[in-house]
Amino acid sequence: DAGITQSPRHKVTETGTPVTLRCHQTENHRYMYWYRQDPGHGLRLIHYSYGVKDTDKGEVSDGYSVSRSKTEDFLLTLESATSSQTSVYFCAISESGQRNTEAFFGQGTRLTVV
Amino acid sequence: AQSVTQLGSHVSVSEGALVLLRCNYSSSVPPYLFWYVQYPNQGLQLLLKYTSAATLVKGINGFEAEFKKSETSFHLTKPSAHMSDAAEYFCAADFGNEKLTFGTGTRLTIIP
């Protein structure tokens, strides 16, 4: 299995509080991604990174920010959590952005905003 | 707009029967295509991928998929379903923009 660790695995937080999810990899892959998974929507890309301090928005980036200060860590922050951000969040990594490159996924973080 | 569509959010088949999960894409240029499987409370695992080398792609656990450009499809099949195949399956496409676009998923149930 690819070395990807997401933390925490489960979190319950209150509306309006900031939340940070962490993705840590030991594969030295260049690309890292944050997705959210919701019933009926599949996985939707929030943000991704193509290198240290290089990030870009995905299709559902509103209300989220990311940071990547080291190759191995990619942080997702909800500045002020809302109930609509209750979801399962997955981190993924890939060696390159080339079209035939497989993405490897973490185990997911289940976030509940009450 | 570039997109991936999976027909049928839930599919049920009897053990030993053929599994057919449908995936279509919308794009002027054929993308690279992937099938992922997700078991309960786990992340996604790659089943197989199409990278233009061959239209019939074989993956793990006896699954295969055929790319048909004329139909813009990449359907996933397995000749004989096993109880362990029960999971959610996602079709995804790389349209050349450094990220994967996923379909909405198909939950496969196996009937004993």
Side-chain angles (χ1 to χ4, degrees):
Chain A
D1 291 342
I4 308 171
T5 304
Q6 291 186 231
S7 59
R9 292 292 313 279
H10 302 270
K11 186 171 182 66
V12 179
T13 192
E14 293 185 349
T15 300
T17 60
V19 177
T20 295
L21 308 183
R22 180 179 183 236
C23 179
H24 178 78
Q25 63 147 326
T26 58
E27 306 296 322
N28 200 36
H29 283 358
R30 180 183 173 192
Y31 284 75
M32 299 185 76
Y33 308 82
W34 277 108
Y35 289 88
R36 59 177 291 173
Q37 182 179 19
D38 304 287
H41 292 278
L43 277 80
R44 293 179 291 174
L45 183 65
I46 305 171
H47 282 280
Y48 70 103
S49 169
Y50 46 95
V52 174
K53 298 186 179 179
D54 291 324
T55 65
D56 204 351
K57 296 179 180 180
E59 62 178 306
V60 291
S61 59
D62 287 349
Y64 302 94
S65 63
V66 290
S67 66
R68 191 169 179 199
S69 58
K70 298 183 292 185
T71 298
E72 58 266 35
D73 289 326
F74 192 33
L75 304 180
L76 176 70
T77 297
L78 291 66
E79 300 292 347
S80 178
T82 67
S83 58
S84 64
Q85 293 176 312
T86 292
S87 185
V88 180
Y89 291 85
F90 285 97
C91 174
I93 64 173
S94 68
E95 191 170 6
S96 76
Q98 297 303 308
R99 296 176 66 194
N100 61 350
T101 303
E102 175 182 354
F104 298 91
F105 285 79
Q107 299 282 59
T109 294
R110 184 174 297 275
L111 177 67
T112 303
V113 183
V114 298
Chain B
Q2 298 169 329
S3 64
V4 176
T5 301
Q6 291 184 242
L7 296 177
S9 58
H10 292 86
V11 171
S12 296
V13 301
S14 297
E15 189 174 14
L18 171 71
V19 175
L20 171 61
L21 304 182
R22 302 179 186 273
C23 173
N24 289 86
Y25 67 89
S26 175
S27 172
S28 57
V29 176
Y32 281 16
L33 293 157
F34 305 79
W35 275 101
Y36 283 85
V37 61
Q38 183 182 33
Y39 299 103
N41 299 315
Q42 294 189 23
L44 280 70
Q45 176 185 0
L46 182 70
L47 272 179
L48 48 80
K49 62 182 180 182
Y50 165 73
T51 59
S52 77
T55 57
L56 183 62
V57 182
K58 294 187 183 298
I60 62 172
N61 301 337
F63 284 93
E64 63 181 35
E66 184 173 11
F67 173 74
K68 293 186 177 180
K69 183 178 178 180
S70 61
E71 299 178 6
T72 62
S73 69
F74 189 55
H75 300 333
L76 182 70
T77 61
K78 182 175 181 177
S80 177
H82 191 272
M83 295 301 295
S84 61
D85 295 326
E88 188 155 21
Y89 292 80
F90 291 94
C91 182
D94 183 339
F95 293 107
N97 52 6
E98 300 179 329
K99 44 190 181 274
L100 290 175
T101 299
F102 284 85
T104 53
T106 297
R107 184 169 299 280
L108 176 64
T109 299
I110 310 300
I111 303 167

